């Protein structure tokens, strides 16, 4: 099963404070362990929301607002991991070198099988092709 | 520049386990995904099961504490994302505008941190990170 681990933004990440060398070293070690165990598929950090935007949808209308956005629900980075269960994902993430009330959220990624008949054979084929070609970009 | 388009479906924080998007929405979204791919913009994409099937881990004092979903106090949760490669934030916004999203959905556009954004000493500490990110072929 694939899981997305969502790292929540805080006032530091929103202020553009880059992680210290010490934290990067600890995080590098943690990532290394996950890679060696075949758990980590991807991981990225995001610039503060002040460099981002939001788009809202009403019928054909599009409302664009520029960041920064409030901390509620805001993301600062993520991992994609592959484990056998949610519990295994939780066990891995308990070992992450976070502190000071940091919070992460672990969410299961949809797989083609989850869509059942809504994902017709044609759509399924298209999905697989997009994924394969996207990965080559 | 790489950008993440974060899909925020309002109300998804309360969605029961097993909630799936309707077939028409999936078909419309696949058409959009195809357009992203044809333009050479799409890197990867994923959808997420509702938070009711997930968990949160918080780290007060470095001690992990686990809370099972749903997270009733949450106002905005993630429903999925696209990772795209474009020349500017404006180009990313233009792509988001084309998404066949519904009235209760918001897309947030965020620039991805590249190794070159980090100061030199941090880059050294994170040496090998790019290799870690290499995604195994599906």
């Amino acid at each position: 099963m694939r899981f997305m681990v969502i790292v929540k933004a805080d006032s530091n990440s929103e202020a553009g404070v880059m992680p210290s060398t010490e934290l990067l070293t600890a995080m590098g070690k943690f990532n290394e362990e996950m890679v060696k165990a075949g758990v980590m598929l991807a991981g990225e950090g995001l610039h503060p929301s002040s460099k981002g935007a939001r788009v809202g949808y009403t019928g054909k209308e599009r409302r664009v607002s520029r960041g920064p956005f409030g901390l509620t629900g805001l993301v600062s980075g993520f991992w994609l991991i592959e484990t056998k269960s949610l519990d295994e994902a939780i066990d891995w993430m308990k070992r992450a070198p976070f502190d000071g009330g940091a919070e992460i959220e672990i969410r299961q990624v949809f797989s083609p099988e989850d869509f059942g008949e809504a994902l017709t054979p044609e759509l399924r084929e298209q999905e697989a092709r997009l994924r394969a070609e996207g990965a080559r970009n | 520049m790489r950008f993440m388009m974060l899909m925020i479906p309002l109300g998804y924080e309360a969605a029961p386990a097993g909630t799936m998007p309707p077939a028409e929405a999936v078909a419309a979204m696949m058409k959009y995904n195809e357009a992203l791919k044809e333009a050479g913009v799409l890197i990867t994409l994923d959808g997420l099961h509702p938070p009711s099937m997930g968990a949160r881990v918080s780290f007060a004092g470095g001690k992990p504490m686990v809370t099972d979903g749903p997270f009733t106090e949450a106002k905005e949760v993630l429903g999925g994302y696209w990772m795209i490669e474009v020349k500017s934030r404006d180009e990313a916004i233009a792509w988001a505008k084309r998404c066949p999203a519904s009235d209760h959905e918001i897309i947030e556009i965020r620039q991805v941190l590249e190794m070159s954004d980090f100061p030199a000493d941090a880059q050294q500490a994170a040496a090998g990170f790019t290799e870690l990110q290499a995604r195994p072929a599906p």
Side-chain angles (χ1 to χ4, degrees):
Chain A
M1 300 158 88
R2 287 191 305 147
F3 289 89
M4 186 174 198
V5 179
I6 301 161
V7 183
K8 305 293 187 63
D10 60 21
S11 49
N12 277 337
S13 69
E14 277 297 278
V17 178
M18 296 300 257
S20 66
T21 299
E22 195 189 349
L23 179 58
L24 284 171
T25 307
M27 211 50 98
K29 216 178 131 206
F30 177 59
N31 287 335
E32 193 86 58
E33 283 174 34
M34 286 202 292
V35 168
K36 277 193 188 139
V39 165
M40 180 169 153
L41 303 177
E44 301 286 354
L46 303 180
H47 280 275
S49 70
S50 56
K51 296 172 92 172
R54 281 186 170 194
V55 182
Y57 302 79
T58 309
K60 295 252 175 265
E61 189 203 330
R62 302 289 183 255
R63 291 175 319 280
V64 177
S65 44
R66 308 272 170 164
F69 306 110
L71 276 179
T72 312
L74 208 60
V75 176
S76 67
F78 76 97
W79 283 278
L80 269 181
I81 61 172
E82 170 105 45
T83 60
K84 292 207 168 47
S85 66
L86 175 62
D87 285 341
E88 194 191 336
I90 291 173
D91 284 342
W92 269 105
M93 283 308 138
K94 278 176 160 178
R95 297 169 54 184
F98 288 118
D99 198 351
E103 189 175 70
I104 57 160
E105 182 176 310
I106 302 165
R107 299 273 302 279
Q108 191 185 341
V109 174
F110 281 123
S111 68
E113 296 71 44
D114 294 321
F115 288 88
E117 286 176 9
L119 199 70
T120 61
E122 292 75 30
L123 285 172
R124 191 178 285 244
E125 189 273 331
Q126 184 188 25
E127 210 269 343
R129 192 163 39 80
L130 281 184
R131 218 166 263 289
E133 289 179 20
R136 277 204 298 274
N137 279 352
Chain B
M1 301 159 86
R2 287 187 303 158
F3 283 84
M4 210 169 174
M5 296 199 294
L6 302 159
M7 172 58 91
I8 304 168
L10 301 177
Y12 204 47
E13 63 276 7
T19 301
M20 299 295 299
E24 315 85 70
V26 173
M29 213 49 99
M30 285 304 289
K31 238 177 110 181
Y32 173 66
N33 295 339
E34 185 80 24
L36 282 168
K37 192 220 70 183
E38 269 167 22
V41 163
L42 184 69
I43 299 173
T44 182
L45 74 170
D46 275 306
L48 303 180
H49 280 282
S52 49
M53 295 166 69
R56 285 184 172 185
V57 185
S58 57
F59 296 83
K63 208 170 135 52
M65 201 188 84
V66 180
T67 317
D68 288 321
F71 319 109
T72 42
E73 77 292 354
K75 285 198 193 73
E76 290 172 354
V77 298
L78 207 55
Y81 75 95
W82 295 262
M83 185 71 84
I84 60 172
E85 170 84 45
V86 290
K87 291 208 166 48
S88 65
R89 179 170 73 161
D90 285 343
E91 196 187 332
I93 292 173
W95 273 108
K97 282 172 150 179
R98 289 180 56 181
C99 180
S102 63
D103 291 5
H104 65 278
E105 292 174 318
I106 296 169
I107 290 179
E108 183 176 305
I109 294 139
R110 298 279 298 280
Q111 191 184 342
V112 176
L113 280 167
E114 304 295 351
M115 208 32 86
S116 54
D117 294 318
F118 288 85
D121 55 341
Q123 286 192 33
Q124 211 159 9
F129 185 70
T130 317
E131 289 71 41
L132 289 182
Q133 288 174 309
R135 202 175 166 163

